[in-house]
Amino acid sequence: MKVEKQVTSGQLDFTFTRRAAFVGGVQAAIGLTVAARMSYIAVADNEKYKLQAESNRVNLTIIPPRRGWFIDRFGKPIATNRADFRVDIIPDRLVQKDQTIQTLAELLALSSDDVDRIHRELKNAQGFQPVQVADGLDYDRFAAVSVRLPDLPGVSPRQGYSRFYPSGAAVGHLIGYVGTVSAEEYQKNKKPLLITPGFKVGKDGLEKTLEDRLQGEPGAKRTEVTARGKIVRELTTKPDIPGKPVQLTIDIELQNYAARRLGLESGSVVVFDCLTGDIITMASMPCYDPNSFSDGIGRVEWKMLNSDDHIPMLNKALQGLYPPGSTLKPMAGLAMMRNGIDPEETVNCNGGYRLGNRVFKCLGRHGPVNMRTAIMKSCNTYFYAMGHRIGYDNIAPVARELGLGQEFSLPFPSQRYGTVPDSTWKMRKYDQKWTESDTLNAVIGQGYIIASPFQLGLMAARMASGLNVQPAILKQKRVAPKPLSFPTEHLAIVRDGMNLVVNGDGTAVRSRLLLENIAMAGKTGTAQVRRIAGSQRGQSGEWKYRDHGLFVCFAPVDQPRYGAAVVIEHGMGGARAAAPIAKDVLTFIYDREQAMASLEALEAGWGGNIEQRMAAKYAAYQGQSAPPPPLDPTT
């Protein structure tokens, strides 16, 4: 039989004491650990948690920097910033998207076009990248949103600055526009500033290429907030540092006039200072309103621009390329004299020039003509004969010296350089030999040769001054230009011929300046856009098949100061379409009252000025369905 072991009271007391000691030790260890951790937090991590607590109480807001202004050569504003109220949506903070947008549409009286744009941009936005709801708001609408913020998570009303272009479409191609940073741009550079509501970057034109100078440095504002984010009070503010102003060589009043004077036409006007190379005006119309693009263009306006066969998105001054036509005849005259042609030698024009079995026609029967008369009458026969004699390989270098086919260091996103052909070029391009027919076509500005209005204006400025002026758009001190390689007497011959075009018995006599003691010299040009068939010479029919009209000029004749080019797409002739515009633009430089009277009479028949015509056209498009514009229209 097994006997149970007896447990004494002493043994029980010992066991209890040992367990109590163990439990007490564990508790002490835990207490020491907690105390040590609390001491570490209170001492070592004091600054860390103090900052976190502060950040829960204090909200730090980045203030987007104001962009630097664009000003013209006289200090007048071209692109500025205006104070406004705006409302944005931060996608990552948005809770009920559809309900929030509907509420905002009611509070801000948004159009269906605006609502469509907001939905589209929210769909493609990422993270905290802001989506603009509206800007340029009055205080009442801004306040209506602000008081509803507790019910509108993700909505960010702010007071700030927006880009403003006082001249609107007149400077669209010249200055460009700004827009919000795209998701792709943010992925390349994840700076917090890029996703700050109200911050925009240059998207096109000078706004894009001069971004580093214009951007400025952001500021910051510290505000005390409640747990729900309601602002209690403003603590401190560090102001932003605006971007640097950029002064251009442009005369903004002349720029505005030139853009308005182009009227219903599709074309461009470029004016240079003959003595310095400064670009005084570079207008291209039709054009978009950069204010619309900066605010986020809507479907209807995008359709209006995209469906226009006059291509308002194209900067025709720099990117349009055209056969220069007869505007190249003064340049060809310089090349001929350089290669031994006597300018007094005559060629008998009986209506054309025979080369083998083919007759290259002239515009008329001019009889005996020398170089001056040939320029005045725009006689193709003279230039066929003399061009055939010296060959185009001797003409092409002169065209390049005067600025054709050349690349210039200008701060624009893109420019097209055209083509000055010769035998080497044709062999490289087509693996074919240059022919005599190629020479006859090229010498009158047809065939393979193409140029931009910008280059044609520079050519006129260089011939007028005899100086190798370099084009510039940024106002700054530069070295004086060197003379061209042509003798003074050769330049005088072609200038005399151009003077007779306008002030003699030439092709642009109806466009002579009605100014005392100031005369304009020039050369008209008509450029074919398709091959002549039968009696069809591009002077009728569908708009896109009509000839282009061109005119290059300078003034005053006796002491040239301004050189210019006007190109009118499908204008059917330089004398008809381009020269009258050049006349009014140069008149504006010397007599603004006379020029404005002429313009206002024309605009009365066109349906108003640029803004009025665009508004009427937009109204006509209202209500039409249209695909959404791309997030980045520059693509």
Side-chain angles (χ1 to χ4, degrees):
M1 179 178 179
K2 184 176 179 182
V3 180
E4 293 185 1
K5 184 177 179 181
Q6 298 293 318
V7 179
T8 67
S9 61
Q11 289 175 321
L12 287 173
D13 290 341
F14 177 77
T15 301
F16 176 78
T17 303
R18 186 175 60 181
R19 289 177 179 175
F22 175 77
V23 172
V26 171
Q27 291 176 334
I30 292 173
L32 289 172
T33 302
V34 171
R37 179 60 180 164
M38 291 178 65
S39 299
Y40 182 81
I41 291 173
V43 179
D45 278 354
N46 175 64
E47 191 65 24
K48 172 184 175 182
Y49 289 102
K50 182 179 179 181
L51 289 174
Q52 288 187 0
E54 181 73 4
S55 67
N56 289 331
R57 184 183 69 87
V58 177
N59 184 30
L60 182 66
T61 304
I62 296 177
I63 301 174
R66 287 161 288 175
R67 292 180 71 80
W69 285 25
F70 280 108
I71 57 177
D72 82 342
R73 64 191 297 110
F74 304 113
K76 297 177 182 178
I78 299 177
T80 66
N81 306 304
R82 61 181 177 185
D84 70 354
F85 295 106
R86 60 179 296 113
V87 174
D88 297 290
I89 290 177
I90 309 301
D92 265 11
R93 296 175 180 171
L94 191 61
V95 178
Q96 296 176 313
K97 182 179 74 171
D98 293 339
Q99 183 178 338
T100 299
I101 295 175
Q102 181 180 353
T103 301
L104 291 173
E106 294 171 356
L107 293 173
L108 301 175
L110 300 178
S111 67
S112 58
D113 206 24
D114 290 328
V115 173
D116 288 343
R117 175 187 58 79
I118 294 167
H119 277 290
R120 185 175 68 254
E121 293 184 3
L122 279 174
K123 182 179 179 181
N124 293 277
Q126 296 183 8
F128 285 86
Q129 178 190 355
V131 170
Q132 176 178 298
V133 175
D135 68 354
L137 300 173
D138 55 49
Y139 181 76
D140 290 340
R141 288 190 293 170
F142 176 78
V145 173
S146 299
V147 298
R148 295 284 298 274
L149 283 184
D151 303 324
L152 298 172
V155 175
S156 174
R158 292 172 182 265
Q159 181 177 2
Y161 294 88
S162 62
R163 200 61 157 166
F164 178 60
Y165 305 92
S167 300
V171 298
H173 291 142
L174 174 69
I175 302 298
Y177 62 93
V178 298
T180 56
V181 175
S182 66
E184 292 76 13
E185 290 171 324
Y186 178 67
Q187 291 301 322
K188 294 177 182 177
N189 183 7
K190 295 187 176 182
K191 294 169 57 177
L193 175 63
L194 299 184
I195 56 174
T196 301
F199 178 72
K200 294 182 179 180
V201 297
K203 292 287 187 176
D204 197 17
L206 297 176
E207 290 277 24
K208 180 178 181 179
T209 57
L210 301 177
E211 176 66 27
D212 291 342
R213 292 178 61 175
L214 296 167
Q215 189 175 110
E217 297 181 15
K221 181 170 66 175
R222 295 173 68 246
T223 53
E224 185 177 354
V225 295
T226 65
R228 296 190 64 180
K230 183 178 180 180
I231 296 176
V232 176
R233 61 192 174 106
E234 185 174 313
L235 299 176
T236 58
T237 299
K238 175 187 175 184
D240 65 302
I241 300 176
K244 298 177 181 178
V246 176
Q247 187 171 23
L248 304 182
T249 60
I250 295 293
D251 178 344
I252 190 57
E253 293 190 10
L254 183 63
Q255 174 81 15
N256 292 340
Y257 182 88
R260 290 175 62 181
R261 182 58 184 84
L262 283 167
L264 307 179
E265 302 287 1
S266 175
S268 57
V269 176
V270 184
V271 181
F272 284 90
D273 185 323
C274 293
L275 304 181
T276 64
D278 287 352
I279 304 169
I280 308 298
T281 287
M282 190 163 64
S284 169
M285 296 299 290
C287 183
Y288 57 85
D289 185 345
N291 292 303
S292 296
F293 273 75
S294 300
D295 297 339
I297 193 166
R299 289 172 179 257
V300 174
E301 190 169 1
W302 174 252
K303 179 184 178 181
M304 182 182 75
L305 294 172
N306 208 34
S307 61
D308 193 334
D309 60 358
H310 287 32
I311 317 179
M313 298 302 294
L314 179 69
N315 182 349
K316 297 173 180 65
L318 281 174
Q319 297 173 298
L321 293 177
Y322 312 90
S326 296
T327 60
L328 291 195
K329 287 174 179 174
M331 177 278 296
L334 287 174
M336 291 166 185
M337 287 184 283
R338 172 177 284 180
N339 287 276
I341 300 295
D342 182 351
E344 301 303 328
E345 181 182 349
T346 62
V347 171
N348 185 49
C349 173
N350 59 4
Y353 180 80
R354 178 174 292 277
L355 180 66
N357 295 325
R358 181 180 173 186
V359 175
F360 288 75
K361 293 184 178 181
C362 190
L363 300 176
R365 294 177 178 270
H366 301 115
V369 292
N370 60 15
M371 186 174 292
R372 288 186 182 86
T373 308
I375 293 174
M376 176 182 70
K377 294 291 187 181
S378 199
C379 178
N380 288 349
T381 301
Y382 177 89
F383 288 94
Y384 288 147
M386 297 305 187
H388 185 211
R389 183 187 299 182
I390 67 171
Y392 205 77
D393 280 356
N394 288 318
I395 299 176
V398 174
R400 297 188 185 104
E401 184 175 352
L402 292 177
L404 303 187
Q406 302 301 297
E407 177 179 355
F408 301 101
S409 179
L410 294 170
F412 290 98
S414 62
Q415 54 180 304
R416 300 172 71 185
Y417 311 119
T419 299
V420 176
D422 56 21
S423 57
T424 302
W425 172 87
K426 188 178 181 184
M427 181 60 66
R428 182 177 66 252
K429 179 78 173 177
Y430 298 107
D431 195 24
Q432 296 176 3
K433 292 184 178 181
W434 186 267
T435 66
E436 294 175 333
S437 295
D438 293 333
T439 293
L440 268 58
N441 282 323
V443 77
I444 63 164
Q446 296 286 170
Y448 295 117
I449 188 165
I450 51 175
S452 69
F454 177 85
Q455 293 171 337
L456 294 176
L458 181 62
M459 176 187 73
R462 287 182 175 179
M463 286 192 298
S465 64
L467 300 174
N468 187 27
V469 291
Q470 298 300 312
I473 191 69
L474 301 180
K475 189 70 175 174
Q476 55 192 357
K477 291 184 178 180
R478 293 180 290 142
V479 297
K482 297 180 179 179
L484 295 168
S485 63
F486 309 108
T488 303
E489 55 271 22
H490 289 183
L491 289 167
I493 295 291
V494 298
R495 289 178 194 148
D496 286 347
M498 294 176 71
N499 182 31
L500 294 171
V501 168
V502 181
N503 304 299
D505 191 23
T507 55
V509 294
R510 289 180 296 177
S511 294
R512 65 181 56 171
L513 299 184
L514 303 178
L515 299 171
E516 187 176 353
N517 300 324
I518 298 176
M520 171 181 72
K523 182 70 192 78
T524 57
T526 302
Q528 297 169 214
V529 297
R530 64 173 178 173
R531 186 179 180 86
I532 294 174
S535 60
Q536 173 58 257
R537 298 188 62 87
Q539 297 297 299
S540 61
E542 193 174 351
W543 178 79
K544 65 181 180 180
Y545 294 127
R546 298 174 187 172
D547 294 340
H548 298 313
L550 307 94
F551 188 68
V552 297
C553 59
F554 63 86
V557 169
D558 50 352
Q559 291 183 320
R561 179 62 191 274
Y562 301 102
V566 178
V567 176
I568 303 300
E569 293 183 334
H570 313 294
M572 297 189 294
R576 175 188 299 187
I581 294 176
K583 170 192 172 183
D584 285 350
V585 169
L586 290 180
T587 297
F588 183 84
I589 295 175
Y590 298 103
D591 188 338
R592 297 192 173 187
E593 185 176 344
Q594 180 187 145
M596 287 303 300
S598 174
L599 174 61
E600 288 168 359
L602 291 169
E603 286 185 331
W606 293 337
N609 59 28
I610 298 171
E611 291 76 17
Q612 292 168 333
R613 297 197 306 271
M614 290 182 71
K617 190 172 183 179
Y618 179 79
Y621 271 83
Q622 287 282 24
Q624 299 186 26
S625 60
L631 292 177
D632 187 353
T634 58
T635 60

